[in-house]
Amino acid sequence: MEIKFREGMSNPLFFSKVSGNASYPDQVLFGEYWGNLGKESVRVYSRELSDSSPWNILTEFAAGQITHIHNILADINEQRLLILTGDSDKESGVWEIKPNDVAPKKIVAGKQIYRSCIGYVEDNYLYYATDTPQEENFFARLCLTTLEIEKLLSLEGPVIYGSRIKNKLLFSTSVEPDTELSGFRYLLSRRVGRGLKSKDCVVYSYDGINVHEINRFKKDFLPMGLFQFGCVSFYTSENMNYVYGYGMSLNYIDGKTYKFNF
């Protein structure tokens, strides 16, 4: 066993591979992702791309700062890593870590518009999709110098999963329950959150100019909290010519894997 996750955590939301960054060795990273009701400190772990390399703590958020880490992105131009966090307003944000930093530094935080799981950095812009069941969601870009946000497209729901391939970003919305419900009502309800426009999982692609809807799938009849959010997760192939998509809790494609060719 390479590493043991903390109690209550089963898997990171994403593993991130960083290569070609002069300030960091080629490595794999993940941020801790679990319910964290006690608002404990949250760590980023890294491991160099070597069979004998151990997992090490790269940085750590102090207790009370965030609930968990959604993803870690490379910003090659600035020789830094960007960390996407959630989930409440004050915890939702984008943070940076550089080689000599002891702790992550906040770039933006404090609103659901900063709550994201997927994205990429290009030309001093962070392109990302928001991930909130509570408010309207957008595909947006954040200028990392002025910190201004441009909303490029309104989305039908929150986005958890996505994958970058060649010059495109592929991502899907998730059909999620209303977070204003609690306990068994949350688990058993089929009422979606206020930030969702429908019970469809929509697959989008962004080609650097436009966002395109490329598929749409209907959520099955099972309650989202007890079973699974309706969504498509993505897995990039090594040759970067296609992406695998896996359907969850969706009519006709639940538990099935599809190939998206590019």
Side-chain angles (χ1 to χ4, degrees), residues 115-144:
R115 178 176 169 179
S116 177
C117 296
I118 61 102
Y120 68 94
V121 180
E122 186 173 86
D123 298 331
N124 288 321
Y125 286 94
L126 169 62
Y127 292 84
Y128 69 102
T130 60
D131 166 45
T132 173
Q134 303 163 0
E135 299 177 4
E136 184 177 5
N137 286 273
F138 297 93
F139 183 72
R141 68 176 187 175
L142 169 69
C143 179
L144 294 170

Side-chain angles (χ1 to χ4, degrees), residues 70 84-85 92 94 111-119 126-142 149-161 169 171-174 176 195-196 204:
H70 292 160
L84 310 180
T85 64
S92 298
V94 181
K111 298 178 181 179
Q112 293 292 293
I113 190 64
Y114 302 130
R115 178 176 169 179
S116 177
C117 296
I118 61 102
L126 169 62
Y127 292 84
Y128 69 102
T130 60
D131 166 45
T132 173
Q134 303 163 0
E135 299 177 4
E136 184 177 5
N137 286 273
F138 297 93
F139 183 72
R141 68 176 187 175
L142 169 69
I149 292 178
E150 181 181 359
K151 297 174 180 176
L152 302 178
L153 182 71
S154 174
L155 304 176
E156 293 217 8
V159 174
I160 300 175
Y161 298 107
L169 180 68
F171 57 94
S172 77
T173 60
S174 296
E176 303 184 16
L196 283 79
Y204 296 95

Side-chain angles (χ1 to χ4, degrees), residues 61-127:
F61 288 86
Q65 273 192 304
I66 64 171
T67 293
H68 47 222
I69 294 170
H70 292 160
N71 206 347
I72 302 166
L73 308 175
D75 183 354
I76 301 298
N77 289 341
E78 297 298 321
Q79 298 296 301
R80 62 183 174 180
L81 303 176
L82 302 185
I83 306 172
L84 310 180
T85 64
D87 278 332
S88 70
D89 283 359
K90 72 172 185 176
E91 300 168 347
S92 298
V94 181
W95 307 68
E96 71 171 7
I97 183 73
K98 293 184 176 181
N100 295 324
D101 291 341
V102 176
K105 296 179 181 178
K106 181 175 68 176
I107 297 177
V108 290
K111 298 178 181 179
Q112 293 292 293
I113 190 64
Y114 302 130
R115 178 176 169 179
S116 177
C117 296
I118 61 102
Y120 68 94
V121 180
E122 186 173 86
D123 298 331
N124 288 321
Y125 286 94
L126 169 62
Y127 292 84

